[in-house]
Amino acid sequence: MDWQWDDIRFFLAVSRAGSLSAAARTLGVGHVTVGRRIALLEKQLGVTLLNRSPDGFVTTSAGEAILRQCAAMESAATDLERIVAGHDALLKGTVRVTTTEALAYQLVAPAIAALRKTHPELRVDLIIGVRTLDIARREADLAVRFARPQASDLICRKLGDIAFSLYASKRYLASKGVPKQGQGLADYDLITFTGAPAAMGPFFMGEQLEGARIALRCDSPFVQLRTAASHGGIAEAVCFLGDVAPDLVRVWPDRAPARRPVWLITHQDMRRAARIKAVSNAIAEAFRRERRTLEQGEAPRKAS
């Protein structure tokens, strides 16, 4: 049979995502390409692997029968790519870095800009969001995250701690009253994330949330703080953003901020690659320079 093993990627992507368009976004190609590659694979194998249903594509019995072997092929190919890349001594090429929007803004983006002044042949793809990407499958080469993964093949380097506090507008606190510490946030409006991992908790400085109202869920800290500044409720934010946000104050300015560790994560096979080491060291150095701001924030403003 004259088929390309690379077609397996397209089959796996559709079987996982359930649609051509979602698979295409994952693979970085057009949905027409995905459909064509799967049709070619099915023709060469002489079986139907996927059936269209009202809810999207479902895997046929023939497709189910080879899923495990296809996943093993994908894993072997990814291992090969990663091992070869891990021995690359050249300070050029692409490094995929994933992190949150706040850390990208304050820490990662400035570190990358400084690094490229001396290594202009490096290119960094910065993937922003709270969703955890799979480093083993090379969805990213490096991650800067609050949640530490448990996989044994990942190298986790602690960069330090990040300060969080609660923020609201003076008008909101004047109308609702300042909540009493340790007595929960019942009857207050909260602004929070849609997909933050549980490992980042406890949230809202450990206060009880029973009886509180979720006013807005959004994964952008800038949108959260803008909503709070518009008197929309209380947001929990990193202090290095919240303390400098116009029209916002810390709800409890005399209370020490909560601190969460932040980790720099890569696969053990990639840690020796020159470009990975260069980007990792640049991020770690940026954290060292910004440590006081990251761990404490700025001087908190008080409501009056």
Short mmCIF file of all heavy atoms in Angstrom, two decimals, residues 110-143:
data_model
loop_
_atom_site.label_atom_id
_atom_site.label_comp_id
_atom_site.label_asym_id
_atom_site.label_seq_id
_atom_site.Cartn_x
_atom_site.Cartn_y
_atom_site.Cartn_z
N PRO A 110 9.18 40.72 27.15
CA PRO A 110 10.40 41.52 27.24
C PRO A 110 11.68 40.69 27.21
O PRO A 110 12.69 41.11 26.63
CB PRO A 110 10.25 42.23 28.60
CG PRO A 110 8.78 42.25 28.86
CD PRO A 110 8.27 40.98 28.28
N ALA A 111 11.63 39.49 27.81
CA ALA A 111 12.81 38.62 27.79
C ALA A 111 13.14 38.18 26.37
O ALA A 111 14.32 38.15 25.98
CB ALA A 111 12.56 37.40 28.68
N ILE A 112 12.12 37.86 25.59
CA ILE A 112 12.33 37.42 24.21
C ILE A 112 12.88 38.57 23.37
O ILE A 112 13.80 38.39 22.56
CB ILE A 112 11.02 36.88 23.63
CG1 ILE A 112 10.65 35.56 24.32
CG2 ILE A 112 11.15 36.67 22.12
CD1 ILE A 112 9.24 35.11 24.04
N ALA A 113 12.31 39.76 23.55
CA ALA A 113 12.78 40.92 22.78
C ALA A 113 14.26 41.20 23.06
O ALA A 113 15.03 41.48 22.12
CB ALA A 113 11.93 42.14 23.13
N ALA A 114 14.66 41.11 24.31
CA ALA A 114 16.06 41.34 24.66
C ALA A 114 16.97 40.25 24.08
O ALA A 114 18.07 40.54 23.58
CB ALA A 114 16.21 41.40 26.18
N LEU A 115 16.51 39.01 24.12
CA LEU A 115 17.32 37.89 23.62
C LEU A 115 17.56 38.00 22.12
O LEU A 115 18.67 37.73 21.63
CB LEU A 115 16.62 36.57 23.95
CG LEU A 115 17.30 35.29 23.44
CD1 LEU A 115 18.67 35.11 24.10
CD2 LEU A 115 16.41 34.08 23.72
N ARG A 116 16.56 38.43 21.39
CA ARG A 116 16.70 38.48 19.93
C ARG A 116 17.62 39.59 19.45
O ARG A 116 18.02 39.62 18.28
CB ARG A 116 15.33 38.61 19.27
CG ARG A 116 14.48 37.36 19.40
CD ARG A 116 13.34 37.33 18.39
NE ARG A 116 13.82 37.18 17.04
CZ ARG A 116 13.92 38.18 16.16
NH1 ARG A 116 13.63 39.41 16.51
NH2 ARG A 116 14.35 37.94 14.94
N LYS A 117 17.98 40.51 20.33
CA LYS A 117 18.95 41.53 19.94
C LYS A 117 20.32 40.91 19.70
O LYS A 117 21.10 41.39 18.87
CB LYS A 117 19.04 42.60 21.02
CG LYS A 117 17.77 43.46 21.12
CD LYS A 117 17.88 44.48 22.23
CE LYS A 117 16.61 45.31 22.34
NZ LYS A 117 16.67 46.30 23.46
N THR A 118 20.63 39.84 20.43
CA THR A 118 21.91 39.15 20.25
C THR A 118 21.77 37.88 19.42
O THR A 118 22.77 37.37 18.91
CB THR A 118 22.53 38.81 21.61
OG1 THR A 118 21.57 38.08 22.40
CG2 THR A 118 22.91 40.08 22.36
N HIS A 119 20.56 37.36 19.30
CA HIS A 119 20.33 36.14 18.52
C HIS A 119 19.14 36.35 17.59
O HIS A 119 18.06 35.78 17.78
CB HIS A 119 20.08 34.95 19.46
CG HIS A 119 21.21 34.67 20.40
ND1 HIS A 119 22.44 34.21 19.98
CD2 HIS A 119 21.31 34.82 21.74
CE1 HIS A 119 23.24 34.06 21.02
NE2 HIS A 119 22.58 34.43 22.10
N PRO A 120 19.32 37.15 16.53
CA PRO A 120 18.20 37.50 15.66
C PRO A 120 17.63 36.35 14.85
O PRO A 120 16.53 36.48 14.29
CB PRO A 120 18.80 38.58 14.75
CG PRO A 120 20.28 38.31 14.76
CD PRO A 120 20.58 37.80 16.13
N GLU A 121 18.35 35.22 14.78
CA GLU A 121 17.84 34.09 14.00
C GLU A 121 16.89 33.21 14.82
O GLU A 121 16.36 32.23 14.31
CB GLU A 121 19.00 33.25 13.46
CG GLU A 121 19.81 33.99 12.39
CD GLU A 121 20.85 33.09 11.76
OE1 GLU A 121 21.60 32.44 12.52
OE2 GLU A 121 20.92 33.06 10.52
N LEU A 122 16.71 33.55 16.09
CA LEU A 122 15.71 32.85 16.90
C LEU A 122 14.33 33.41 16.60
O LEU A 122 14.15 34.62 16.47
CB LEU A 122 16.01 33.04 18.39
CG LEU A 122 17.00 32.10 19.06
CD1 LEU A 122 17.23 32.53 20.50
CD2 LEU A 122 16.49 30.66 19.03
N ARG A 123 13.35 32.52 16.51
CA ARG A 123 11.96 32.95 16.38
C ARG A 123 11.15 32.28 17.48
O ARG A 123 11.27 31.07 17.69
CB ARG A 123 11.37 32.58 15.03
CG ARG A 123 10.00 33.22 14.79
CD ARG A 123 9.37 32.73 13.50
NE ARG A 123 8.62 31.50 13.73
CZ ARG A 123 7.93 30.86 12.79
NH1 ARG A 123 7.92 31.34 11.56
NH2 ARG A 123 7.28 29.75 13.07
N VAL A 124 10.34 33.04 18.17
CA VAL A 124 9.54 32.51 19.27
C VAL A 124 8.06 32.61 18.91
O VAL A 124 7.57 33.69 18.54
CB VAL A 124 9.82 33.26 20.59
CG1 VAL A 124 8.90 32.75 21.69
CG2 VAL A 124 11.28 33.08 20.99
N ASP A 125 7.37 31.49 18.98
CA ASP A 125 5.91 31.46 18.86
C ASP A 125 5.36 31.48 20.27
O ASP A 125 5.52 30.52 21.03
CB ASP A 125 5.44 30.20 18.13
CG ASP A 125 5.81 30.20 16.65
OD1 ASP A 125 6.17 31.29 16.15
OD2 ASP A 125 5.73 29.14 16.01
N LEU A 126 4.71 32.57 20.64
CA LEU A 126 4.20 32.75 22.00
C LEU A 126 2.71 32.41 22.02
O LEU A 126 1.91 33.09 21.37
CB LEU A 126 4.44 34.19 22.46
CG LEU A 126 4.23 34.51 23.94
CD1 LEU A 126 5.03 33.58 24.83
CD2 LEU A 126 4.61 35.95 24.21
N ILE A 127 2.38 31.35 22.74
CA ILE A 127 1.00 30.85 22.79
C ILE A 127 0.39 31.26 24.13
O ILE A 127 0.83 30.81 25.18
CB ILE A 127 0.98 29.32 22.62
CG1 ILE A 127 1.77 28.91 21.37
CG2 ILE A 127 -0.46 28.80 22.55
CD1 ILE A 127 2.16 27.45 21.33
N ILE A 128 -0.60 32.13 24.08
CA ILE A 128 -1.16 32.74 25.28
C ILE A 128 -2.44 32.04 25.69
O ILE A 128 -3.31 31.76 24.86
CB ILE A 128 -1.45 34.24 25.04
CG1 ILE A 128 -0.19 34.96 24.55
CG2 ILE A 128 -2.00 34.88 26.30
CD1 ILE A 128 0.95 34.90 25.52
N GLY A 129 -2.59 31.79 26.99
CA GLY A 129 -3.84 31.22 27.50
C GLY A 129 -3.60 30.43 28.77
O GLY A 129 -2.46 30.18 29.16
N VAL A 130 -4.70 30.05 29.41
CA VAL A 130 -4.59 29.28 30.64
C VAL A 130 -4.66 27.78 30.38
O VAL A 130 -4.41 26.98 31.28
CB VAL A 130 -5.69 29.69 31.66
CG1 VAL A 130 -5.51 31.14 32.07
CG2 VAL A 130 -7.08 29.46 31.08
N ARG A 131 -5.03 27.38 29.14
CA ARG A 131 -5.12 25.96 28.84
C ARG A 131 -3.72 25.35 28.82
O ARG A 131 -2.80 25.91 28.22
CB ARG A 131 -5.79 25.74 27.47
CG ARG A 131 -5.99 24.26 27.11
CD ARG A 131 -6.72 24.13 25.80
NE ARG A 131 -5.90 24.50 24.67
CZ ARG A 131 -5.12 23.65 24.01
NH1 ARG A 131 -5.02 22.39 24.41
NH2 ARG A 131 -4.42 24.05 22.97
N THR A 132 -3.55 24.21 29.45
CA THR A 132 -2.27 23.53 29.50
C THR A 132 -2.02 22.78 28.20
O THR A 132 -2.85 21.96 27.78
CB THR A 132 -2.22 22.54 30.69
OG1 THR A 132 -2.45 23.26 31.90
CG2 THR A 132 -0.88 21.85 30.75
N LEU A 133 -0.90 23.06 27.55
CA LEU A 133 -0.53 22.37 26.31
C LEU A 133 0.36 21.18 26.63
O LEU A 133 1.03 21.14 27.66
CB LEU A 133 0.17 23.33 25.37
CG LEU A 133 -0.63 24.57 24.93
CD1 LEU A 133 0.18 25.39 23.94
CD2 LEU A 133 -1.96 24.16 24.31
N ASP A 134 0.35 20.21 25.72
CA ASP A 134 1.09 18.96 25.92
C ASP A 134 2.51 19.12 25.41
O ASP A 134 2.75 19.12 24.19
CB ASP A 134 0.37 17.82 25.20
CG ASP A 134 0.91 16.45 25.60
OD1 ASP A 134 2.07 16.38 26.05
OD2 ASP A 134 0.17 15.46 25.46
N ILE A 135 3.46 19.22 26.31
CA ILE A 135 4.86 19.39 25.92
C ILE A 135 5.41 18.10 25.34
O ILE A 135 6.23 18.12 24.42
CB ILE A 135 5.69 19.88 27.12
CG1 ILE A 135 5.31 21.33 27.43
CG2 ILE A 135 7.19 19.77 26.85
CD1 ILE A 135 6.06 21.94 28.59
N ALA A 136 4.96 16.96 25.83
CA ALA A 136 5.45 15.67 25.32
C ALA A 136 5.11 15.51 23.83
O ALA A 136 5.87 14.91 23.08
CB ALA A 136 4.86 14.51 26.12
N ARG A 137 3.95 16.07 23.42
CA ARG A 137 3.55 15.99 22.00
C ARG A 137 4.02 17.21 21.22
O ARG A 137 3.60 17.43 20.09
CB ARG A 137 2.04 15.85 21.91
CG ARG A 137 1.53 14.48 22.35
CD ARG A 137 0.02 14.43 22.40
NE ARG A 137 -0.56 14.82 21.13
CZ ARG A 137 -1.85 15.14 20.99
NH1 ARG A 137 -2.65 15.16 22.04
NH2 ARG A 137 -2.33 15.47 19.81
N ARG A 138 4.87 18.02 21.83
CA ARG A 138 5.46 19.21 21.21
C ARG A 138 4.41 20.23 20.79
O ARG A 138 4.59 20.95 19.79
CB ARG A 138 6.36 18.84 20.03
CG ARG A 138 7.56 18.00 20.43
CD ARG A 138 8.69 18.14 19.45
NE ARG A 138 9.30 19.46 19.50
CZ ARG A 138 10.14 19.92 18.55
NH1 ARG A 138 10.43 19.16 17.51
NH2 ARG A 138 10.66 21.13 18.65
N GLU A 139 3.30 20.32 21.53
CA GLU A 139 2.40 21.44 21.34
C GLU A 139 3.09 22.73 21.79
O GLU A 139 2.75 23.82 21.34
CB GLU A 139 1.10 21.23 22.12
CG GLU A 139 0.24 20.09 21.59
CD GLU A 139 -1.03 19.90 22.39
OE1 GLU A 139 -1.12 20.41 23.52
OE2 GLU A 139 -1.94 19.22 21.88
N ALA A 140 4.07 22.57 22.67
CA ALA A 140 4.93 23.69 23.09
C ALA A 140 6.27 23.11 23.50
O ALA A 140 6.37 21.94 23.90
CB ALA A 140 4.30 24.46 24.24
N ASP A 141 7.33 23.92 23.38
CA ASP A 141 8.66 23.50 23.82
C ASP A 141 8.94 23.92 25.25
O ASP A 141 9.64 23.22 25.99
CB ASP A 141 9.73 24.11 22.90
CG ASP A 141 9.57 23.67 21.45
OD1 ASP A 141 9.44 22.46 21.22
OD2 ASP A 141 9.58 24.54 20.57
N LEU A 142 8.41 25.07 25.63
CA LEU A 142 8.59 25.61 26.97
C LEU A 142 7.25 26.11 27.49
O LEU A 142 6.43 26.60 26.72
CB LEU A 142 9.57 26.78 26.98
CG LEU A 142 11.06 26.50 26.83
CD1 LEU A 142 11.80 27.82 26.61
CD2 LEU A 142 11.61 25.79 28.05
N ALA A 143 7.04 25.96 28.79
CA ALA A 143 5.84 26.51 29.42
C ALA A 143 6.24 27.29 30.66
O ALA A 143 7.13 26.87 31.41
CB ALA A 143 4.87 25.39 29.79
#
